[in-house]
Amino acid sequence: MTAPAGTLTPITARLSDDYLHLVADGDEVGATELVGALLDDGVPAQRIIVDLIGGAQRRVGELWAANEWSVAREHAATAVGERALAAVAARTAVRPHRGRIALACVDGEWHGLPARMLAELLRLDGWRVDFLGASVPGRHLIVHLHQTGPDAVALSCMLPTRLPRAHAAITACRAAGLPVIAGGPGFGPGGRWAQRLGAHAWAATGEEAVTRLATDWPPRNVTDLPLPDGEAFLGDEEYTHLVRSRPQLIATAMDRLPGIYPPARDYDQAQAEATSEDMGHIADFLASALYVGEPDVFLDFITWTTEVLGSRGVPPTALRLGLTLIRDQLIDFPVATTMLDAALRTLPRT
């Protein structure tokens, strides 16, 4: 069982800095030797997973967002974290005694390390874990569930853009009679969108998930549990239109951009591709906000994007242009334009 919340961690600030330095340098050998030495010293594996490896990954994300690290360096650091986690797992085998759980990232969700960390925490607590990895298509997940018959399913979603696929997976699990515990910031503050999508439980952290699963859970007679209010109304006409017209929305926005922003005429291929990708992010987050009926999904994305672009020296004007180009194509869809107008009001005009 994991240590209770608030327990003094043996992972000091100096150890965290040393480990982050190894991760930053791409030093897999050094990182695995460090976690091995900590295990030899009696440091609980849970603390190494949560405080050392998990803490470093949060810092890596912050460094990327602040434009201090490149995407490539962030990916290399994540690979080192995966190796360090594997080294901990190899040294801490626990015989399963609780039950069997299938753990997967929802289709399209490629942030696999947080889910892998949860898998190791659950193993340490006595679960037999089928860790299926990143971006598991719903149909493959269901085939696995029918083949193995687990006691519960854990689904990870780090980005709200994956919520429609998360809903499909949760619905399929419910139909198979299996309880679902959801986790990850993609499900919103307090997991409020997890409940809306039909999950039976939600956990903010890996340690919370371990505690929840060890406390009179999973529930029996899952098929008798009612669906959440409003679940049947997810994905309305505006959402459907936006998803179907996404390629045309982006193409039209890119065609119109040079007319209202002349420097775009001189974009090289890399700049054009990056701008097109940014337009796609706007469309995807807007679609997810429409799907769950939560403007905050979109507004939170705009706030975060403004900060990330600012750290890269990109003025708010660029984001304002992107939002306007998408909005002008959705004038017949009042909910979408209301969300876009709200987002535009949050941006500085200079």
Side-chain angles (χ1 to χ4, degrees):
M1 184 62 189
T2 56
T7 299
L8 180 64
T9 173
I11 304 300
T12 64
R14 180 175 178 178
L15 276 173
S16 295
D17 289 342
D18 289 344
Y19 177 78
L20 183 61
H21 177 76
L22 294 168
V23 166
D25 195 38
D27 188 350
E28 292 184 356
V29 174
T32 55
E33 287 179 346
L34 176 57
V35 300
L38 291 173
L39 289 170
D40 290 339
D41 289 341
V43 177
Q46 291 93 334
R47 301 274 54 87
I48 296 173
I49 293 170
V50 174
D51 300 327
L52 188 71
I53 299 174
Q57 283 303 122
R58 288 190 294 274
R59 182 64 182 139
V60 166
E62 292 168 357
L63 289 166
W64 171 83
N67 200 31
E68 296 182 34
W69 279 23
S70 68
V71 171
R73 192 176 188 186
E74 181 258 335
H75 286 181
T78 299
V80 175
E82 291 171 345
R83 289 294 297 273
L85 182 61
V88 174
R91 293 273 304 274
T92 54
V94 174
R95 184 172 295 279
H97 61 272
R98 288 195 181 278
R100 186 171 188 171
I101 186 167
L103 170 58
C105 299
V106 299
D107 193 4
E109 178 55 74
W110 291 99
H111 296 84
L113 184 54
R116 175 68 188 279
M117 291 167 60
L118 172 59
E120 299 309 327
L121 291 173
L122 289 171
R123 286 192 180 107
L124 288 168
D125 200 47
W127 287 88
R128 178 178 174 181
V129 183
D130 298 331
F131 177 57
L132 308 183
S135 189
V136 180
R139 63 185 184 281
H140 294 173
L141 172 63
I142 298 306
V143 168
H144 176 82
L145 300 181
H146 283 298
Q147 291 175 340
T148 59
D151 299 293
V153 181
L155 292 176
S156 175
C157 179
M158 302 300 288
L159 297 174
T161 50
R162 314 307 180 205
L163 287 175
R165 294 182 182 183
H167 183 213
I170 292 170
T171 301
C173 291
R174 292 185 68 114
L178 291 170
V180 178
I181 182 169
F187 287 108
R192 64 188 186 212
W193 303 321
Q195 182 179 11
R196 180 85 189 278
L197 299 180
H200 301 91
W202 179 82
T205 67
E207 290 184 293
E208 282 190 21
V210 172
T211 300
R212 184 73 178 90
L213 285 163
T215 310
D216 193 29
W217 211 87
R220 295 183 175 87
N221 301 320
V222 175
T223 54
D224 295 337
L225 297 177
L227 289 172
D229 293 339
E231 191 266 352
F233 300 99
L234 294 167
D236 62 5
E237 179 184 357
E238 292 199 26
Y239 165 78
T240 302
H241 170 78
L242 180 56
V243 171
R244 289 179 177 174
S245 63
R246 181 185 186 277
Q248 187 59 45
L249 282 171
I250 297 171
T252 300
M254 292 299 294
D255 287 343
R256 293 176 179 177
L257 181 60
I260 61 175
Y261 186 63
R265 298 169 188 166
D266 298 323
Y267 278 177
D268 58 26
Q269 183 175 357
Q271 289 174 308
E273 290 177 353
T275 302
S276 178
E277 184 177 356
D278 290 341
M279 296 287 187
H281 291 323
I282 292 173
D284 292 341
F285 274 89
L286 180 60
S288 291
L290 290 171
Y291 190 84
V292 295
E294 289 279 358
D296 285 348
V297 172
F298 190 60
L299 294 176
D300 289 348
F301 160 70
I302 295 301
T303 299
W304 177 84
T305 301
T306 302
E307 295 173 355
V308 170
L309 292 178
S311 71
R312 288 153 174 77
V314 179
T317 302
L319 182 54
R320 179 177 293 279
L321 283 172
L323 292 171
T324 301
L325 287 166
I326 296 296
R327 186 201 182 284
D328 289 347
Q329 299 179 68
L330 297 172
I331 56 175
D332 293 328
F333 296 89
V335 179
T337 53
T338 297
M339 291 184 184
L340 287 160
D341 287 340
L344 285 164
R345 287 194 296 270
T346 69
L347 300 179
R349 290 195 171 273
T350 56

